Amino acid sequence: MPSLGTSYGRGAATLAQWDLAKSDCVVIMGSNMAENHPIAFRFVMQAKAKGAAVVHADPRFTRTSALADIYAPVRAGSDIAFLGGIIRYLLENDAWFRDYALAYTNLSTIIRDDFQGPEDLDGVFSGFEPDMKAYFVDSWQYEGMAVPSPRSEHHPQTEMDFTACAGRMSEKPPHRDPTLRHPQCVYQIMRRHYARYTPEMVERVTGCRKETFLKICETLARNSGRERTSAFCYAVGWTHHSTGVQIIRAAAIIQALLGNVGRPGGGILALRGHSSIQGSTDIPTLYNMLPGYLAQPNVNKSHGSLDDYLKGETPPTGWWHNEPKYVISLLKAWYGDRATAANDYGFDWVPKIIGDHSQLPMTLAIRDNVIKGMFLLGQNPAIGGSNSRLVQRGLAELDWLVVRDFAETETAAFWYQGCPVRDGELAPSDIKTEVFLMPASIAGEKDGTFTNTHRLVQWHDKVVDGPGDSRSELWFIHHLAKRLKALYADSRDARDRPIQALNWPYPEVDARGEPDVEAVLKEINGYTCGDETPVGTFKDLKDDGSTACGCWIYSGVYPKEGHNQARSRKADGPGGPGTHLGWAFAWPANRRTLYNRASADLDGKPWSEEKTLVWWDADKESWQSPDAIDFEPSKAPGYQPDWNQKPEGMDALDGGSPFIMTADGKAALFVPSGLKDAPLPTHYEPIESPVLNPLYAQQSVPTAKRWNREDNPYHAPEDAQYPHILTTYRLTEHHSGGTPTRSVPSTAELQPEGFCEIPPELAARHGLRTGDWVVLETSRGAVETRALVTSRLRPFEIDGRAVFQIGMPWHFGWRGYATGDVANVLTSIVGDANTTMHENKALTCRLRPGRLSGGRR
Amino acid sequence: MSRDRRTPFNRVGEFLNQWSVPRQMRGADHRTDAARSRMSETLRPRLEDADRVGTSICPYCAVGCAQLVYARDGRAIHVEGDPRSPINEGTLCPKGSATIGWMNAPDRLSKVLHRAPYSDRWEEKPLDWAMDRIAHLTRQTRDETFVEALPGGETVNHTLGLASLGGATLDNEENYAIKKLFGGGLGMVWIENQARV
């Protein structure tokens, strides 16, 4: 989540879900919260019952819209035009929270005078290299100093010596103009940048009538400020775009301008889709990060040695200055006694990445025979992967494939039921892949922790054994590790040192040989080497090899031997503070609302009595709160760094800097580094769009990751062959790739078959009625499905002509009780520059009545 | 079970006897005495036979609803929302309510299935055999594809020949172990999960 990370410091929801009940206004956009996160939506309804306004902006009218006070229909892929319009409204009408934004954001900071924006450069920012389709971010920096990003890659692409220029952050505060008159201050840059995002332009781009748009602006502004707070909720309706990171960035700007971050009932809630998707980002099974948002060593950066890595990745100022402690403690957790100062704690054993190794390029590397052996651990890419035909065809190139799941997935069945076989391109006797399908245990059948969408780490008990040979993934990895360590035990080859050195101390606790999960949790929490005492907090971690810690942000989850805070179930009773500090553990350090120092003013006094969360107690010389405080507990509000001393780390942040993970302690309205596509959100059309960009000559985001090839072609803008917008979505009754609900009788019965939603005006053109068969087609493939003709999807008038949208749920496949064609046959492999997130929320397609002649694809 | 032969006269009499309205009209409380019937007399709490209960977290989305899992004789018999949770306060959505159906799904696997190269069928295999075979293949592929340094001399110590996908449905401890073994131990860099889908 680089958007929230670069804006506020941490890539995570800023508030707890239950806190939404305290909001005065909830804006839901990029999410169908009522249907996809219904239990969290209860808190929105509680807020509404107390008088809060609920706003929903979405391409489809859903149950969320039905329960909202204001519904804004917006064309899929036009979110930044809408949000940019809100930013312009706030700035031009002085509707932002001046005292908050001036103090706690970089609004007044001066950007280098060679910075230029899309106004000057016809849709791109300064630093763009057309040949590389990438930016050098030199000109995006603060005047006189380079600013390291708080996200895992602290070291951006520049022509200057970034580390040396970042060092200047220890010499003086950034140049700021509190009068906001300086032409290169962020405020003036934003005013110029968003000047053309007028209500009329918003209507022209998004299709939402300007009256509705303005009503939303007024509602949001009225319910924000000193006495009131508003919250934003979003989900994959925002992330699944080639500009997804920038959409969320736009919301981050709005919320910081309005003073809604770090305050009760305010903030941004990312609604995530899998039980531990936040956890699997924090402790990443992701290619580019090490646990706790540390950078995976990269051959293209100055990561040649541990010293170089730490020098390049450690910002001089802010909390991230502690990074070496976290890196060295991680290496100690991984390599134990074999990690010593003499061998750089085994730094060279950590593999270096050489490019983008995320799922989309992985899909192509499988097809292109780079990847030979593969593990699939609870994921079903034949359904969930973009360009499903390419995914399924690629699997036949693998030498071997291990699928671990609770039932046979479409992916596991690719070799006899996949589309290349059904199409007659391949027979099983042509496919060399050796496939293992292994039964897996699920929650209820194993101990462990999930991290929920608001950073809450919650333990689940093993109550029963999974059936037969079902085992946990931990069992699988543990026993595979033991076997591999045995296979490599006698090797003298240097390349085999990492597996030999890997510290693997987990005891087995039952007859099946399941490892002790709490032993792993303790390692994640961190402990002192030697006596193996758990550390109480990440403040106890050291950079001298005396501590080990698997993920520093989780320190405190197992603070004492036998104390598993994730299993704690002490909720606040009625009349309690409602932070529920005794219910499980929230990272970091059990803080429930991030950046909560911002709930008080510069003097440490809450902005309003009604919205009190954190305050400075002058007598006790410390901050007080019913929450865990996201600030140094005894740093006085009036503290100023002594710049003569070249202060580093937290010493360089004054007492009015609540965003402690950023290098200047402020929320970044303008992001100098950490993003690859823009310092300010800018409307670009989706890669496939039926209209030309009404705002700029630059049609789509120039830095998008494209893999245009024969088996992954794209549609040109305004392609008459593919005139309609297609958006994919989810249903209440089904879960992602579908196996955990399509194989379950009750959910399959509730939502038994695939379909697509078609607006009545488009259906009329084709003579279609609900229940008729239709074929949807893109240059990647075609599917047949049933039509659901509904005015929930309405035609838009965009730039003077009618544009139709079609919606299709993507859960369905051919196995289980609820079946349907695979929506991802239609989608393409194309990615956001920052995250390589696909764009399955906005692509183009064509529609015809009838069925596929050659059978289903 | 054999049933007594019942005449229409018997049936009407029985109905009038069981129907609560006449009893309510005679003054019986509709919540207690009048609510009783032959069926209600035999109703039992469905959790009465549970021999075990544990706290769990819903395995579907990321809201993190707390659940209580009841089991009898090593089999889950009921899953419900944990009323103590400040998130769900005892409630569950249609997916969360289906958790028991997931645990006891008719199509659940209980044995390792193996498909040999070019074969047209699955074959059941012992778990130990599969683990040994997978460990062997992992080592073989790693050894064939491991790169210590790029042509320019930069140390990479990685393999591009192995990949792992999945993790967002798994526990933190499992993700930690995956990243540690696959990344830190084997040098794999293609390690990804559902965070980007």
PDB file of all heavy atoms in Angstrom, chain A residues 677-699:
ATOM      1  N   ASP A 677       5.156   7.123 -10.301  1.00  0.00           N
ATOM      2  CA  ASP A 677       4.317   7.644 -11.382  1.00  0.00           C
ATOM      3  C   ASP A 677       3.917   9.104 -11.243  1.00  0.00           C
ATOM      4  O   ASP A 677       3.556   9.719 -12.245  1.00  0.00           O
ATOM      5  CB  ASP A 677       3.067   6.785 -11.546  1.00  0.00           C
ATOM      6  CG  ASP A 677       2.358   6.529 -10.230  1.00  0.00           C
ATOM      7  OD1 ASP A 677       2.880   6.952  -9.174  1.00  0.00           O
ATOM      8  OD2 ASP A 677       1.292   5.902 -10.246  1.00  0.00           O
ATOM      9  N   ALA A 678       3.967   9.678 -10.040  1.00  0.00           N
ATOM     10  CA  ALA A 678       3.558  11.073  -9.896  1.00  0.00           C
ATOM     11  C   ALA A 678       3.687  11.510  -8.442  1.00  0.00           C
ATOM     12  O   ALA A 678       3.401  10.725  -7.541  1.00  0.00           O
ATOM     13  CB  ALA A 678       2.110  11.274 -10.344  1.00  0.00           C
ATOM     14  N   PRO A 679       4.071  12.761  -8.200  1.00  0.00           N
ATOM     15  CA  PRO A 679       4.061  13.286  -6.833  1.00  0.00           C
ATOM     16  C   PRO A 679       2.673  13.764  -6.413  1.00  0.00           C
ATOM     17  O   PRO A 679       2.407  13.915  -5.231  1.00  0.00           O
ATOM     18  CB  PRO A 679       5.032  14.455  -6.896  1.00  0.00           C
ATOM     19  CG  PRO A 679       4.967  14.923  -8.313  1.00  0.00           C
ATOM     20  CD  PRO A 679       4.665  13.720  -9.153  1.00  0.00           C
ATOM     21  N   LEU A 680       1.812  14.014  -7.398  1.00  0.00           N
ATOM     22  CA  LEU A 680       0.425  14.426  -7.139  1.00  0.00           C
ATOM     23  C   LEU A 680      -0.495  13.606  -8.037  1.00  0.00           C
ATOM     24  O   LEU A 680      -0.210  13.406  -9.222  1.00  0.00           O
ATOM     25  CB  LEU A 680       0.226  15.914  -7.473  1.00  0.00           C
ATOM     26  CG  LEU A 680       0.795  16.941  -6.498  1.00  0.00           C
ATOM     27  CD1 LEU A 680       0.656  18.348  -7.081  1.00  0.00           C
ATOM     28  CD2 LEU A 680       0.129  16.865  -5.129  1.00  0.00           C
ATOM     29  N   PRO A 681      -1.634  13.125  -7.501  1.00  0.00           N
ATOM     30  CA  PRO A 681      -2.556  12.329  -8.310  1.00  0.00           C
ATOM     31  C   PRO A 681      -3.066  13.113  -9.516  1.00  0.00           C
ATOM     32  O   PRO A 681      -3.425  14.298  -9.402  1.00  0.00           O
ATOM     33  CB  PRO A 681      -3.693  12.017  -7.335  1.00  0.00           C
ATOM     34  CG  PRO A 681      -3.088  12.155  -5.979  1.00  0.00           C
ATOM     35  CD  PRO A 681      -2.064  13.236  -6.096  1.00  0.00           C
ATOM     36  N   THR A 682      -3.091  12.444 -10.648  1.00  0.00           N
ATOM     37  CA  THR A 682      -3.407  13.059 -11.925  1.00  0.00           C
ATOM     38  C   THR A 682      -4.312  12.112 -12.686  1.00  0.00           C
ATOM     39  O   THR A 682      -4.055  10.907 -12.707  1.00  0.00           O
ATOM     40  CB  THR A 682      -2.085  13.261 -12.714  1.00  0.00           C
ATOM     41  OG1 THR A 682      -1.180  13.988 -11.878  1.00  0.00           O
ATOM     42  CG2 THR A 682      -2.298  13.993 -14.016  1.00  0.00           C
ATOM     43  N   HIS A 683      -5.353  12.646 -13.313  1.00  0.00           N
ATOM     44  CA  HIS A 683      -6.254  11.741 -14.026  1.00  0.00           C
ATOM     45  C   HIS A 683      -5.672  11.283 -15.357  1.00  0.00           C
ATOM     46  O   HIS A 683      -5.416  12.081 -16.258  1.00  0.00           O
ATOM     47  CB  HIS A 683      -7.613  12.382 -14.305  1.00  0.00           C
ATOM     48  CG  HIS A 683      -8.463  11.519 -15.200  1.00  0.00           C
ATOM     49  ND1 HIS A 683      -9.065  10.370 -14.749  1.00  0.00           N
ATOM     50  CD2 HIS A 683      -8.747  11.588 -16.524  1.00  0.00           C
ATOM     51  CE1 HIS A 683      -9.703   9.780 -15.762  1.00  0.00           C
ATOM     52  NE2 HIS A 683      -9.520  10.499 -16.844  1.00  0.00           N
ATOM     53  N   TYR A 684      -5.476   9.984 -15.455  1.00  0.00           N
ATOM     54  CA  TYR A 684      -5.180   9.361 -16.740  1.00  0.00           C
ATOM     55  C   TYR A 684      -6.284   8.362 -17.018  1.00  0.00           C
ATOM     56  O   TYR A 684      -6.854   7.777 -16.089  1.00  0.00           O
ATOM     57  CB  TYR A 684      -3.828   8.640 -16.695  1.00  0.00           C
ATOM     58  CG  TYR A 684      -2.643   9.551 -16.437  1.00  0.00           C
ATOM     59  CD1 TYR A 684      -1.924   9.470 -15.248  1.00  0.00           C
ATOM     60  CD2 TYR A 684      -2.262  10.498 -17.383  1.00  0.00           C
ATOM     61  CE1 TYR A 684      -0.840  10.301 -15.009  1.00  0.00           C
ATOM     62  CE2 TYR A 684      -1.175  11.335 -17.145  1.00  0.00           C
ATOM     63  CZ  TYR A 684      -0.469  11.235 -15.958  1.00  0.00           C
ATOM     64  OH  TYR A 684       0.599  12.061 -15.724  1.00  0.00           O
ATOM     65  N   GLU A 685      -6.575   8.137 -18.254  1.00  0.00           N
ATOM     66  CA  GLU A 685      -7.569   7.136 -18.619  1.00  0.00           C
ATOM     67  C   GLU A 685      -6.998   5.740 -18.360  1.00  0.00           C
ATOM     68  O   GLU A 685      -5.775   5.543 -18.392  1.00  0.00           O
ATOM     69  CB  GLU A 685      -7.932   7.270 -20.106  1.00  0.00           C
ATOM     70  CG  GLU A 685      -8.836   8.457 -20.402  1.00  0.00           C
ATOM     71  CD  GLU A 685     -10.208   8.348 -19.747  1.00  0.00           C
ATOM     72  OE1 GLU A 685     -10.778   7.237 -19.738  1.00  0.00           O
ATOM     73  OE2 GLU A 685     -10.697   9.368 -19.237  1.00  0.00           O
ATOM     74  N   PRO A 686      -7.878   4.771 -18.105  1.00  0.00           N
ATOM     75  CA  PRO A 686      -7.391   3.388 -18.031  1.00  0.00           C
ATOM     76  C   PRO A 686      -6.644   3.029 -19.322  1.00  0.00           C
ATOM     77  O   PRO A 686      -6.870   3.646 -20.374  1.00  0.00           O
ATOM     78  CB  PRO A 686      -8.670   2.572 -17.882  1.00  0.00           C
ATOM     79  CG  PRO A 686      -9.679   3.522 -17.311  1.00  0.00           C
ATOM     80  CD  PRO A 686      -9.316   4.870 -17.880  1.00  0.00           C
ATOM     81  N   ILE A 687      -5.784   2.019 -19.243  1.00  0.00           N
ATOM     82  CA  ILE A 687      -5.021   1.602 -20.428  1.00  0.00           C
ATOM     83  C   ILE A 687      -5.990   1.304 -21.580  1.00  0.00           C
ATOM     84  O   ILE A 687      -5.719   1.637 -22.737  1.00  0.00           O
ATOM     85  CB  ILE A 687      -4.166   0.353 -20.108  1.00  0.00           C
ATOM     86  CG1 ILE A 687      -3.219   0.631 -18.930  1.00  0.00           C
ATOM     87  CG2 ILE A 687      -3.405  -0.119 -21.345  1.00  0.00           C
ATOM     88  CD1 ILE A 687      -2.254   1.761 -19.108  1.00  0.00           C
ATOM     89  N   GLU A 688      -7.117   0.649 -21.247  1.00  0.00           N
ATOM     90  CA  GLU A 688      -8.165   0.435 -22.253  1.00  0.00           C
ATOM     91  C   GLU A 688      -9.350   1.308 -21.880  1.00  0.00           C
ATOM     92  O   GLU A 688      -9.946   1.133 -20.823  1.00  0.00           O
ATOM     93  CB  GLU A 688      -8.590  -1.041 -22.273  1.00  0.00           C
ATOM     94  CG  GLU A 688      -7.466  -1.937 -22.739  1.00  0.00           C
ATOM     95  CD  GLU A 688      -7.894  -3.386 -22.898  1.00  0.00           C
ATOM     96  OE1 GLU A 688      -9.017  -3.729 -22.482  1.00  0.00           O
ATOM     97  OE2 GLU A 688      -7.100  -4.157 -23.439  1.00  0.00           O
ATOM     98  N   SER A 689      -9.685   2.256 -22.735  1.00  0.00           N
ATOM     99  CA  SER A 689     -10.783   3.177 -22.421  1.00  0.00           C
ATOM    100  C   SER A 689     -11.526   3.532 -23.702  1.00  0.00           C
ATOM    101  O   SER A 689     -10.914   3.684 -24.760  1.00  0.00           O
ATOM    102  CB  SER A 689     -10.211   4.451 -21.791  1.00  0.00           C
ATOM    103  OG  SER A 689     -11.234   5.415 -21.663  1.00  0.00           O
ATOM    104  N   PRO A 690     -12.842   3.678 -23.602  1.00  0.00           N
ATOM    105  CA  PRO A 690     -13.593   4.055 -24.798  1.00  0.00           C
ATOM    106  C   PRO A 690     -13.527   5.551 -25.104  1.00  0.00           C
ATOM    107  O   PRO A 690     -14.092   5.996 -26.099  1.00  0.00           O
ATOM    108  CB  PRO A 690     -15.029   3.639 -24.442  1.00  0.00           C
ATOM    109  CG  PRO A 690     -15.086   3.679 -22.961  1.00  0.00           C
ATOM    110  CD  PRO A 690     -13.701   3.392 -22.458  1.00  0.00           C
ATOM    111  N   VAL A 691     -12.871   6.320 -24.233  1.00  0.00           N
ATOM    112  CA  VAL A 691     -12.800   7.769 -24.475  1.00  0.00           C
ATOM    113  C   VAL A 691     -11.362   8.259 -24.413  1.00  0.00           C
ATOM    114  O   VAL A 691     -10.495   7.620 -23.815  1.00  0.00           O
ATOM    115  CB  VAL A 691     -13.655   8.570 -23.453  1.00  0.00           C
ATOM    116  CG1 VAL A 691     -15.116   8.204 -23.565  1.00  0.00           C
ATOM    117  CG2 VAL A 691     -13.157   8.355 -22.045  1.00  0.00           C
ATOM    118  N   LEU A 692     -11.142   9.400 -25.029  1.00  0.00           N
ATOM    119  CA  LEU A 692      -9.836  10.050 -24.935  1.00  0.00           C
ATOM    120  C   LEU A 692      -9.802  10.890 -23.669  1.00  0.00           C
ATOM    121  O   LEU A 692     -10.826  11.411 -23.235  1.00  0.00           O
ATOM    122  CB  LEU A 692      -9.595  10.931 -26.165  1.00  0.00           C
ATOM    123  CG  LEU A 692      -9.502  10.167 -27.492  1.00  0.00           C
ATOM    124  CD1 LEU A 692      -9.307  11.144 -28.652  1.00  0.00           C
ATOM    125  CD2 LEU A 692      -8.354   9.147 -27.447  1.00  0.00           C
ATOM    126  N   ASN A 693      -8.621  11.015 -23.076  1.00  0.00           N
ATOM    127  CA  ASN A 693      -8.472  11.755 -21.825  1.00  0.00           C
ATOM    128  C   ASN A 693      -8.919  13.202 -22.017  1.00  0.00           C
ATOM    129  O   ASN A 693      -8.280  13.953 -22.768  1.00  0.00           O
ATOM    130  CB  ASN A 693      -7.005  11.703 -21.374  1.00  0.00           C
ATOM    131  CG  ASN A 693      -6.824  12.232 -19.962  1.00  0.00           C
ATOM    132  OD1 ASN A 693      -7.721  12.878 -19.411  1.00  0.00           O
ATOM    133  ND2 ASN A 693      -5.668  11.951 -19.375  1.00  0.00           N
ATOM    134  N   PRO A 694      -9.988  13.620 -21.381  1.00  0.00           N
ATOM    135  CA  PRO A 694     -10.446  14.998 -21.569  1.00  0.00           C
ATOM    136  C   PRO A 694      -9.539  16.019 -20.897  1.00  0.00           C
ATOM    137  O   PRO A 694      -9.652  17.208 -21.162  1.00  0.00           O
ATOM    138  CB  PRO A 694     -11.829  15.006 -20.905  1.00  0.00           C
ATOM    139  CG  PRO A 694     -12.205  13.570 -20.699  1.00  0.00           C
ATOM    140  CD  PRO A 694     -10.907  12.847 -20.545  1.00  0.00           C
ATOM    141  N   LEU A 695      -8.631  15.575 -20.016  1.00  0.00           N
ATOM    142  CA  LEU A 695      -7.839  16.520 -19.227  1.00  0.00           C
ATOM    143  C   LEU A 695      -6.470  16.827 -19.826  1.00  0.00           C
ATOM    144  O   LEU A 695      -5.966  17.934 -19.698  1.00  0.00           O
ATOM    145  CB  LEU A 695      -7.664  15.982 -17.804  1.00  0.00           C
ATOM    146  CG  LEU A 695      -8.827  16.309 -16.864  1.00  0.00           C
ATOM    147  CD1 LEU A 695      -8.928  15.294 -15.742  1.00  0.00           C
ATOM    148  CD2 LEU A 695      -8.662  17.710 -16.291  1.00  0.00           C
ATOM    149  N   TYR A 696      -5.838  15.825 -20.411  1.00  0.00           N
ATOM    150  CA  TYR A 696      -4.462  16.009 -20.887  1.00  0.00           C
ATOM    151  C   TYR A 696      -4.267  15.299 -22.225  1.00  0.00           C
ATOM    152  O   TYR A 696      -4.992  14.352 -22.548  1.00  0.00           O
ATOM    153  CB  TYR A 696      -3.448  15.419 -19.888  1.00  0.00           C
ATOM    154  CG  TYR A 696      -3.600  15.904 -18.470  1.00  0.00           C
ATOM    155  CD1 TYR A 696      -4.190  15.096 -17.503  1.00  0.00           C
ATOM    156  CD2 TYR A 696      -3.167  17.179 -18.092  1.00  0.00           C
ATOM    157  CE1 TYR A 696      -4.341  15.533 -16.194  1.00  0.00           C
ATOM    158  CE2 TYR A 696      -3.312  17.626 -16.788  1.00  0.00           C
ATOM    159  CZ  TYR A 696      -3.900  16.805 -15.851  1.00  0.00           C
ATOM    160  OH  TYR A 696      -4.053  17.236 -14.557  1.00  0.00           O
ATOM    161  N   ALA A 697      -3.225  15.712 -22.906  1.00  0.00           N
ATOM    162  CA  ALA A 697      -2.858  15.004 -24.131  1.00  0.00           C
ATOM    163  C   ALA A 697      -2.328  13.614 -23.820  1.00  0.00           C
ATOM    164  O   ALA A 697      -2.441  12.694 -24.621  1.00  0.00           O
ATOM    165  CB  ALA A 697      -1.799  15.802 -24.897  1.00  0.00           C
ATOM    166  N   GLN A 698      -1.739  13.454 -22.631  1.00  0.00           N
ATOM    167  CA  GLN A 698      -1.256  12.128 -22.207  1.00  0.00           C
ATOM    168  C   GLN A 698      -2.474  11.262 -21.896  1.00  0.00           C
ATOM    169  O   GLN A 698      -3.197  11.509 -20.944  1.00  0.00           O
ATOM    170  CB  GLN A 698      -0.352  12.287 -20.982  1.00  0.00           C
ATOM    171  CG  GLN A 698       0.194  10.989 -20.432  1.00  0.00           C
ATOM    172  CD  GLN A 698       1.170  10.304 -21.368  1.00  0.00           C
ATOM    173  OE1 GLN A 698       1.979  10.956 -22.040  1.00  0.00           O
ATOM    174  NE2 GLN A 698       1.082   8.991 -21.441  1.00  0.00           N
ATOM    175  N   GLN A 699      -2.701  10.220 -22.693  1.00  0.00           N
ATOM    176  CA  GLN A 699      -3.927   9.417 -22.564  1.00  0.00           C
ATOM    177  C   GLN A 699      -3.956   8.584 -21.285  1.00  0.00           C
ATOM    178  O   GLN A 699      -4.873   8.684 -20.490  1.00  0.00           O
ATOM    179  CB  GLN A 699      -4.053   8.510 -23.797  1.00  0.00           C
ATOM    180  CG  GLN A 699      -5.102   7.416 -23.711  1.00  0.00           C
ATOM    181  CD  GLN A 699      -6.531   7.935 -23.805  1.00  0.00           C
ATOM    182  OE1 GLN A 699      -6.762   9.126 -24.051  1.00  0.00           O
ATOM    183  NE2 GLN A 699      -7.499   7.062 -23.592  1.00  0.00           N
TER     184      GLN A 699
END
